[in-house]
Amino acid sequence: GQQLNQSPQSMFIQEGEDVSMNCTSSSIFNTWLWYKQDPGEGPVLLIALYKAGELTSNGRLTAQFGITRKDSFLNISASIPSDVGIYFCAGNYNNNDMRFGAGTRLTVKP
Amino acid sequence: NAGVTQTPKFQVLKTGQSMTLQCAQDMNHEYMSWYRQDPGMGLRLIHYSVGAGITDQGEVPNGYNVSRSTTEDFPLRLLSAAPSQTSVYFCASRPTATNEKLFFGSGTQLSVL
C-alpha cells in the first residue's frame, strides 16, 4: 500500500517557539490534508491542500503541498499550550482510500 | 449537530466474543468509513461505504464486517474477536466520495483479552 512517512515522531518545545513537521511518500498524492487529534477525541481537519506548490494558512498554521506531490509540510508559529496534541498528515491515494501518517506528538511547555 | 457519534466509548472483550461498534452521522453524508489506530501506525482504513447499500474493503478488512442499510448508520462487526484487534476504532464520514474532508467520531477503545 501507499505509505506516508511522517517526522518527527515527537517534539518537545517551549511556548512561543515555531514548529515544523513533514510528511513524505514514495508515491504521488492528489490531495494532502493535515489533522490534529486531542486526547480522547477523533482527528479534526486543520488544512487541506489540492495543488502542487500550494501554500495555505489557517491562523498560526501554514501548510504546503510539495512541488513533487510526494511531500507536505506543516508549520505552527508562536506555539501555545493548546497546540498540544498529535498531528497527522493524510494523503488522498484515491477517492476511497485516504492514507495517514503515524503522527507527530507535540508537547508545549509553558 | 451531533456530527459523527460512536458507541460504546470503551469495550473489553474476551477472545472469540463478537460485538458491534455503532456509528451514526446526522450530516447526510454519503461516504462513511472505519479506521483503526495503533501506536506508531497512524490510522488504517478497515472498510468504507460510498452510499447506502454499498460497502467495500480498505487496507485491513480481515476479521471485520460492515453493512450500510441507511445513510446515517455504518456499524462495524467483529465476529470472533482476537487480541490483534485491540485498538482504537474511529468512524468517519464525508459529504461524498470525492470530497476529501473527513469528519471523525470520538473513537471506541477496544481491548481483547
Side-chain angles (χ1 to χ4, degrees):
Chain A
Q2 307 301 315
Q3 299 302 319
L4 299 186
N5 299 308
Q6 188 171 347
S7 65
Q9 280 189 328
S10 60
M11 302 183 73
F12 296 84
I13 62 169
Q14 205 72 37
E15 183 177 358
E17 289 183 354
D18 297 341
V19 172
S20 291
M21 59 191 79
N22 68 82
C23 212
T24 61
S25 171
S26 58
S27 301
I28 290 172
F29 284 96
N30 295 322
T31 307
W32 283 95
L33 305 101
W34 285 91
Y35 287 82
K36 184 194 176 196
Q37 183 179 26
D38 291 323
E41 299 295 329
V44 173
L45 181 66
L46 298 173
I47 293 178
L49 302 158
Y50 299 100
K51 292 193 303 185
E54 179 181 351
L55 186 72
T56 297
S57 294
N58 178 5
R60 293 178 295 105
L61 277 62
T62 301
Q64 184 161 24
F65 192 140
I67 198 74
T68 65
R69 296 169 63 192
K70 293 183 178 181
D71 56 8
S72 180
F73 304 86
L74 176 69
N75 296 317
I76 305 173
S77 63
S79 59
I80 59 178
S82 62
D83 290 335
V84 164
I86 303 176
Y87 292 80
F88 291 99
C89 62
N92 203 27
Y93 173 51
N94 60 48
N95 284 333
N96 297 321
D97 190 353
M98 188 176 296
R99 298 298 170 106
F100 284 79
T104 295
R105 185 180 295 272
L106 179 64
T107 301
V108 180
K109 292 178 281 188
Chain B
N1 257 353
V4 179
T5 303
Q6 285 183 241
T7 56
K9 186 75 172 174
F10 302 95
Q11 183 71 50
V12 179
L13 294 177
K14 294 181 180 178
T15 297
Q17 285 185 315
S18 63
M19 81 156 295
T20 300
L21 307 186
Q22 301 292 342
C23 176
Q25 52 91 10
D26 61 359
M27 298 174 284
N28 202 32
H29 285 175
E30 291 182 0
Y31 180 99
M32 296 186 74
S33 55
W34 277 99
Y35 286 85
R36 61 177 287 173
Q37 183 178 27
D38 300 295
M41 300 196 70
L43 293 140
R44 292 183 292 168
L45 183 65
I46 304 172
H47 284 285
Y48 64 92
S49 168
V50 299
I54 306 169
T55 64
D56 210 339
Q57 297 180 347
E59 185 183 1
V60 288
N62 293 340
Y64 308 95
N65 281 351
V66 291
S67 60
R68 185 92 181 272
S69 56
T70 67
T71 299
E72 295 79 18
D73 300 298
F74 191 46
L76 178 73
R77 279 183 287 278
L78 285 72
L79 297 178
S80 180
S84 61
Q85 294 178 304
T86 294
S87 187
V88 180
Y89 291 85
F90 288 99
C91 180
S93 72
R94 59 192 199 210
T96 65
T98 55
N99 182 318
E100 297 89 352
K101 297 179 182 178
L102 277 172
F103 294 81
F104 284 87
S106 57
T108 296
Q109 189 168 320
L110 176 67
S111 295
V112 183
L113 307 178

